[in-house]
Amino acid sequence: MNVFLLLAHPERRSFNGAMFDSAVETLSAAGHAVVTSDLYRMGFDPVSGRRNFTSVCDADYLKLQSEEVHATEVDGFAPEIEEEIVKVESADLMIWQFPLWWFALPAILKGWVDRVFAMGRTYGGGRVYETGRFSGKRALLSLTTGGPEAAYRKDGFNGDLGAILRPIQRGILNFTGFAVLAPQVVWGPARADDTQRAAWLADWDRRLGAIENESPIDVGRY
Ligand SMILES: Cc1cc2nc3c(=O)[nH]c(=O)nc-3n(C[C@H](O)[C@H](O)[C@H](O)COP(=O)(O)OP(=O)(O)OC[C@H]3O[C@@H](n4cnc5c(N)ncnc54)[C@H](O)[C@@H]3O)c2cc1C
């Protein structure tokens, strides 16, 4: 498979960094072609605007989706956006590695989605959900939390993690056609000891070793 792995963590030596490195190593060793985006080390600018484009549809009034459709027609995406779109388009499997921040994606990753998942090129024209442009591809969220697993059950302190992830898994990934694999969740790595953390990394490696055989999950609807 072609696998696209994305990392969104400001500290390269973090547990997220270790999960990312482990995935690159395991998937490459299994014979998959791996491409990566390490957003902080790339200095990726998450703020959407005219900088997304080399083309201009309306210089007087900025409507991002109109500019995106126009850029799709005239090949007018800025090189750093074009490069990221091509990584997504080329992937059979896309994995996002990130810490849960405020029940959501870190802003650098949300901004990457805002800029890279452009109308016309990645969705629209009736092509969403089952007929989405990325149908046939799979995506997986690999995340860490601060809180323990019990806090993220339906009746837990914070509530159901599935519901917390739904805007991402349903609103971004399913919307653009991706089938979603079960999230890989490491609960509170900062509270654990090295033995536990090594076991979590080994679990991740084991899962990735057979990832091509996994079936997608139903991420639920609103
Ligand atoms: C802005 C913000 C918002 C947040 N919102 C939420 C929220 O909504 N819900 C929630 O639950 N939490 C929240 N958190 C907490 C956050 O999710 C956790 O701090 C984060 O997920 C922990 O992962 P990490 O990679 O940052 O851990 P780190 O603290 O970087 O790593 C944990 C430990 O693993 C060690 N480690 C690194 N590599 C290895 C290795 N190879 N083997 C073994 N050990 C290793 C590190 O040295 C460190 O001791 C928030 C945090 C921030 C900053």
Side-chain angles (χ1 to χ4, degrees), residues 99-152:
L100 188 68
W101 279 4
W102 295 115
F103 279 34
L105 298 173
I108 198 168
L109 177 49
K110 175 56 167 53
W112 179 90
V113 175
D114 291 347
R115 296 187 72 201
V116 171
F117 278 38
M119 188 181 220
R121 185 76 172 268
T122 75
Y123 72 96
R127 296 194 59 185
V128 292
Y129 294 117
E130 285 74 16
T131 58
R133 289 192 183 272
F134 296 144
S135 32
K137 300 180 184 299
R138 297 182 302 161
L140 189 168
L141 304 181
S142 176
L143 62 140
T144 61
T145 65
E149 184 171 12
Y152 285 98

Side-chain angles (χ1 to χ4, degrees), residues 4-10 12 20 36-46 80 84 87 96-98 106-113 116:
F4 174 33
L5 268 164
L6 189 148
L7 172 64
H9 198 291
R12 195 61 189 79
F20 175 78
T36 61
S37 285
D38 178 349
L39 297 183
Y40 279 93
R41 263 55 61 184
M42 288 158 66
F44 186 82
D45 178 355
E80 79 265 24
E84 296 305 299
K87 287 180 192 174
W96 293 353
Q97 180 66 54
F98 62 95
I108 198 168
L109 177 49
K110 175 56 167 53
W112 179 90
V113 175
V116 171

Side-chain angles (χ1 to χ4, degrees), residues 2-204:
N2 291 327
V3 185
F4 174 33
L5 268 164
L6 189 148
L7 172 64
H9 198 291
E11 170 56 59
R12 195 61 189 79
R13 292 163 300 167
S14 63
F15 196 71
N16 274 269
M19 291 283 284
F20 175 78
D21 288 341
S22 213
V24 171
E25 202 175 302
T26 303
L27 291 164
S28 303
H32 301 298
V34 177
V35 296
T36 61
S37 285
D38 178 349
L39 297 183
Y40 279 93
R41 263 55 61 184
M42 288 158 66
F44 186 82
D45 178 355
V47 180
S48 200
R50 287 220 183 265
R51 65 176 71 76
N52 299 359
F53 315 104
T54 53
S55 56
V56 178
C57 172
D58 183 344
D60 186 47
Y61 188 98
L62 176 58
K63 187 165 168 53
L64 282 168
Q65 288 176 314
S66 306
E67 295 294 338
E68 289 169 358
V69 169
H70 181 64
T72 300
E73 285 160 1
V74 300
D75 200 11
F77 289 100
E80 79 265 24
I81 300 303
E82 178 66 28
E83 218 173 284
E84 296 305 299
I85 296 175
V86 169
K87 287 180 192 174
V88 180
E89 287 174 340
S90 309
D92 301 304
L93 170 66
M94 176 173 73
I95 300 176
W96 293 353
Q97 180 66 54
F98 62 95
L100 188 68
W101 279 4
W102 295 115
F103 279 34
L105 298 173
I108 198 168
L109 177 49
K110 175 56 167 53
W112 179 90
V113 175
D114 291 347
R115 296 187 72 201
V116 171
F117 278 38
M119 188 181 220
R121 185 76 172 268
T122 75
Y123 72 96
R127 296 194 59 185
V128 292
Y129 294 117
E130 285 74 16
T131 58
R133 289 192 183 272
F134 296 144
S135 32
K137 300 180 184 299
R138 297 182 302 161
L140 189 168
L141 304 181
S142 176
L143 62 140
T144 61
T145 65
E149 184 171 12
Y152 285 98
R153 295 195 189 116
K154 264 203 175 78
D155 53 355
F157 184 67
N158 289 326
D160 180 22
L161 185 74
I164 291 170
L165 296 181
R166 197 161 299 137
I168 312 166
Q169 298 194 133
R170 180 75 184 152
I172 300 171
L173 296 171
N174 275 178
F175 183 77
T176 52
F178 279 98
V180 172
L181 300 183
Q184 183 77 12
V185 186
V186 172
W187 307 100
R191 297 161 185 252
D193 60 20
D194 273 337
T195 309
Q196 175 62 69
R197 285 193 290 258
W200 280 324
L201 288 167
D203 285 346
W204 182 217

